[in-house]
Amino acid sequence: MHAASGLLFVDLLIGFTFSNLILFVLFLFGSAALIWRHEFNKFLTKIARGVSRGHIRMGAVLFLVMATIWFLTLSAAPAHAQFFVNTEQWLRQSFPIGGQGGAGGAGGAGGTDIYALVFNTLRAIFVLYLAISLVRVIAAARNDEDWQNLARTPLIILVVVTLGDILATLITGQGTGGGGGTP
Protein backbone atom coordinates (compact mmCIF):
# COMPACT_ATOMS: atom_id res chain seq x y z
CA MET A 1 0.00 0.00 0.00
CA HIS A 2 2.90 2.32 0.71
CA ALA A 3 4.45 1.48 -2.67
CA ALA A 4 1.16 2.17 -4.45
CA SER A 5 0.77 5.52 -2.71
CA GLY A 6 4.36 6.46 -3.53
CA LEU A 7 3.92 5.53 -7.19
CA LEU A 8 0.62 7.40 -7.33
CA PHE A 9 2.33 10.48 -5.88
CA VAL A 10 5.20 10.22 -8.40
CA ASP A 11 2.67 9.85 -11.21
CA LEU A 12 0.90 12.92 -9.87
CA LEU A 13 4.16 14.89 -9.94
CA ILE A 14 5.20 13.72 -13.42
CA GLY A 15 1.93 14.04 -15.27
CA PHE A 16 -0.31 16.33 -13.27
CA THR A 17 -3.94 15.86 -14.23
CA PHE A 18 -7.09 16.58 -12.32
CA SER A 19 -8.06 12.90 -12.29
CA ASN A 20 -4.68 11.94 -10.76
CA LEU A 21 -5.21 14.56 -8.06
CA ILE A 22 -8.70 13.22 -7.34
CA LEU A 23 -7.37 9.65 -7.14
CA PHE A 24 -4.60 10.70 -4.79
CA VAL A 25 -7.01 12.56 -2.51
CA LEU A 26 -9.38 9.57 -2.53
CA PHE A 27 -6.45 7.30 -1.71
CA LEU A 28 -5.48 9.49 1.23
CA PHE A 29 -9.12 9.59 2.37
CA GLY A 30 -9.38 5.79 2.12
CA SER A 31 -6.11 5.32 4.00
CA ALA A 32 -7.28 7.63 6.77
CA ALA A 33 -10.57 5.71 6.90
CA LEU A 34 -8.66 2.45 7.32
CA ILE A 35 -6.36 3.84 9.97
CA TRP A 36 -9.08 5.55 12.02
CA ARG A 37 -11.85 3.03 11.41
CA HIS A 38 -13.87 3.65 14.56
CA GLU A 39 -13.99 7.41 14.13
CA PHE A 40 -14.84 6.98 10.46
CA ASN A 41 -17.65 4.55 11.30
CA LYS A 42 -19.06 7.05 13.83
CA PHE A 43 -18.92 9.75 11.17
CA LEU A 44 -20.66 7.55 8.62
CA THR A 45 -23.28 6.60 11.20
CA LYS A 46 -24.10 10.25 11.77
CA ILE A 47 -24.39 10.81 8.03
CA ALA A 48 -26.46 7.65 7.62
CA ARG A 49 -28.93 8.83 10.24
CA GLY A 50 -29.47 11.99 8.25
CA VAL A 51 -29.75 10.15 4.97
CA SER A 52 -31.90 7.30 6.30
CA ARG A 53 -35.06 9.25 5.67
CA GLY A 54 -34.37 9.04 1.95
CA HIS A 55 -33.37 5.34 2.12
CA ILE A 56 -29.97 5.99 0.52
CA ARG A 57 -26.96 3.97 1.57
CA MET A 58 -23.99 6.27 1.89
CA GLY A 59 -21.42 3.48 1.66
CA ALA A 60 -22.87 2.35 -1.65
CA VAL A 61 -22.89 5.90 -2.96
CA LEU A 62 -19.25 6.46 -1.92
CA PHE A 63 -18.25 3.14 -3.46
CA LEU A 64 -20.01 3.96 -6.74
CA VAL A 65 -18.42 7.40 -6.92
CA MET A 66 -14.92 6.05 -6.27
CA ALA A 67 -15.39 3.13 -8.67
CA THR A 68 -16.70 5.46 -11.39
CA ILE A 69 -13.74 7.83 -11.03
CA TRP A 70 -11.33 4.89 -11.05
CA PHE A 71 -12.88 3.28 -14.17
CA LEU A 72 -13.04 6.63 -16.00
CA THR A 73 -9.40 7.28 -15.22
CA LEU A 74 -8.36 3.83 -16.40
CA SER A 75 -10.37 4.01 -19.61
CA ALA A 76 -9.33 7.58 -20.44
CA ALA A 77 -5.59 7.14 -19.99
CA PRO A 78 -3.64 5.57 -22.86
CA ALA A 79 -1.61 2.47 -22.11
CA HIS A 80 2.10 3.16 -22.61
CA ALA A 81 3.43 0.28 -20.55
CA GLN A 82 4.74 -2.12 -23.16
CA PHE A 83 8.07 -3.79 -22.75
CA PHE A 84 10.81 -3.54 -25.36
CA VAL A 85 9.04 -1.02 -27.64
CA ASN A 86 12.23 0.97 -28.20
CA THR A 87 14.24 -2.19 -28.84
CA GLU A 88 11.66 -3.35 -31.38
CA GLN A 89 11.81 -0.01 -33.19
CA TRP A 90 15.62 -0.09 -33.18
CA LEU A 91 15.71 -3.60 -34.64
CA ARG A 92 13.09 -2.66 -37.23
CA GLN A 93 15.14 0.34 -38.38
CA SER A 94 18.58 -1.24 -38.12
CA PHE A 95 17.79 -4.54 -39.80
CA PRO A 96 14.96 -4.03 -42.27
CA ILE A 97 13.46 -7.23 -43.67
CA GLY A 98 12.53 -7.41 -47.33
CA GLY A 99 14.14 -4.07 -48.15
CA GLN A 100 11.56 -2.06 -46.19
CA GLY A 101 12.95 0.02 -43.37
CA GLY A 102 11.34 2.13 -40.74
CA ALA A 103 8.57 1.43 -38.33
CA GLY A 104 5.75 1.46 -40.88
CA GLY A 105 4.64 -1.19 -43.31
CA ALA A 106 4.97 -4.91 -43.27
CA GLY A 107 8.28 -6.56 -43.85
CA GLY A 108 9.12 -9.98 -45.19
CA ALA A 109 7.16 -12.25 -47.43
CA GLY A 110 3.38 -12.29 -47.42
CA GLY A 111 3.08 -9.11 -45.37
CA THR A 112 4.14 -10.79 -42.11
CA ASP A 113 5.74 -8.38 -39.68
CA ILE A 114 8.28 -10.66 -38.00
CA TYR A 115 9.37 -8.05 -35.46
CA ALA A 116 5.83 -7.47 -34.21
CA LEU A 117 5.23 -11.23 -34.13
CA VAL A 118 8.35 -11.96 -32.07
CA PHE A 119 8.00 -9.10 -29.58
CA ASN A 120 4.24 -9.53 -29.14
CA THR A 121 4.80 -13.26 -28.52
CA LEU A 122 7.37 -12.42 -25.84
CA ARG A 123 4.96 -9.93 -24.27
CA ALA A 124 2.10 -12.46 -24.35
CA ILE A 125 4.21 -15.17 -22.70
CA PHE A 126 5.29 -12.69 -20.01
CA VAL A 127 1.72 -11.53 -19.29
CA LEU A 128 0.38 -15.10 -19.22
CA TYR A 129 3.14 -16.18 -16.83
CA LEU A 130 2.35 -13.28 -14.49
CA ALA A 131 -1.38 -14.00 -14.66
CA ILE A 132 -0.93 -17.70 -13.87
CA SER A 133 1.47 -16.87 -11.05
CA LEU A 134 -0.94 -14.33 -9.63
CA VAL A 135 -3.74 -16.92 -9.60
CA ARG A 136 -1.45 -19.39 -7.81
CA VAL A 137 -0.43 -16.76 -5.23
CA ILE A 138 -4.05 -15.78 -4.55
CA ALA A 139 -5.07 -19.44 -4.22
CA ALA A 140 -2.22 -20.08 -1.78
CA ALA A 141 -3.17 -17.02 0.27
CA ARG A 142 -6.79 -18.15 0.44
CA ASN A 143 -5.73 -21.63 1.58
CA ASP A 144 -3.49 -20.16 4.30
CA GLU A 145 -0.39 -21.54 2.63
CA ASP A 146 2.97 -19.82 2.25
CA TRP A 147 2.14 -17.44 -0.58
CA GLN A 148 5.24 -15.25 -0.14
CA ASN A 149 7.54 -17.91 -1.56
CA LEU A 150 5.21 -18.35 -4.53
CA ALA A 151 5.13 -14.60 -5.14
CA ARG A 152 8.91 -14.17 -4.94
CA THR A 153 9.80 -15.77 -8.31
CA PRO A 154 7.28 -13.80 -10.46
CA LEU A 155 8.34 -10.61 -8.70
CA ILE A 156 12.00 -11.31 -9.46
CA ILE A 157 11.12 -12.03 -13.11
CA LEU A 158 9.12 -8.81 -13.33
CA VAL A 159 12.05 -6.81 -11.97
CA VAL A 160 14.52 -8.55 -14.30
CA VAL A 161 12.37 -7.92 -17.39
CA THR A 162 11.86 -4.28 -16.40
CA LEU A 163 15.59 -3.77 -15.85
CA GLY A 164 16.27 -5.57 -19.14
CA ASP A 165 13.94 -3.17 -20.93
CA ILE A 166 15.65 -0.16 -19.32
CA LEU A 167 19.12 -1.46 -20.18
CA ALA A 168 18.08 -2.31 -23.74
CA THR A 169 16.75 1.22 -24.15
CA LEU A 170 20.03 2.61 -22.82
CA ILE A 171 21.99 0.46 -25.27
CA THR A 172 19.82 0.96 -28.37
CA GLY A 173 18.68 4.52 -27.71
CA GLN A 174 15.14 5.65 -28.31
CA GLY A 175 14.62 3.50 -31.37
CA THR A 176 16.52 5.90 -33.65
CA GLY A 177 18.23 3.17 -35.61
CA GLY A 178 21.83 2.69 -36.59
CA GLY A 179 24.28 5.47 -36.98
CA GLY A 180 26.79 6.32 -39.65
CA GLY A 181 25.15 7.72 -42.72
CA THR A 182 26.01 10.37 -45.22
CA PRO A 183 25.96 13.86 -43.77
Side-chain angles (χ1 to χ4, degrees):
M1 189 152 184
H2 294 294
S5 63
L7 290 174
L8 185 60
F9 184 69
V10 169
D11 186 39
L12 180 66
L13 292 177
I14 292 173
F16 180 79
T17 60
F18 186 68
S19 61
N20 284 350
L21 180 65
I22 289 174
L23 281 176
F24 188 70
V25 168
L26 285 175
F27 181 79
L28 290 177
F29 182 73
S31 297
L34 285 175
I35 293 170
W36 296 292
R37 252 183 302 196
H38 300 293
E39 289 82 7
F40 187 73
N41 284 339
K42 290 177 186 176
F43 175 70
L44 283 182
T45 304
K46 288 180 183 179
I47 291 175
R49 285 182 192 150
V51 177
S52 65
R53 294 181 183 141
H55 301 290
I56 298 173
R57 294 187 177 186
M58 196 62 175
V61 171
L62 286 173
F63 175 75
L64 287 176
V65 168
M66 290 192 309
T68 302
I69 291 172
W70 184 66
F71 281 122
L72 286 175
T73 302
L74 283 181
S75 63
H80 296 291
Q82 286 189 358
F83 290 108
F84 299 113
V85 172
N86 293 331
T87 306
E88 179 183 356
Q89 290 174 354
W90 177 79
L91 279 173
R92 190 182 302 272
Q93 291 173 357
S94 297
F95 305 106
I97 297 177
Q100 296 181 6
T112 303
D113 188 2
I114 192 72
Y115 294 117
L117 180 68
V118 169
F119 280 96
N120 286 336
T121 302
L122 288 174
R123 290 178 191 123
I125 290 170
F126 179 64
V127 168
L128 287 174
Y129 172 74
L130 287 180
I132 291 169
S133 298
L134 181 63
V135 168
R136 289 178 56 209
V137 168
I138 290 172
R142 289 185 67 187
N143 294 333
D144 292 332
E145 296 174 4
D146 188 23
W147 60 270
Q148 283 111 359
N149 286 334
L150 286 174
R152 188 172 296 135
T153 304
L155 186 62
I156 290 171
I157 291 175
L158 176 67
V159 169
V160 166
V161 169
T162 303
L163 288 176
D165 183 31
I166 292 169
L167 290 174
T169 301
L170 287 175
I171 293 169
T172 60
Q174 296 294 323
T176 56
T182 56

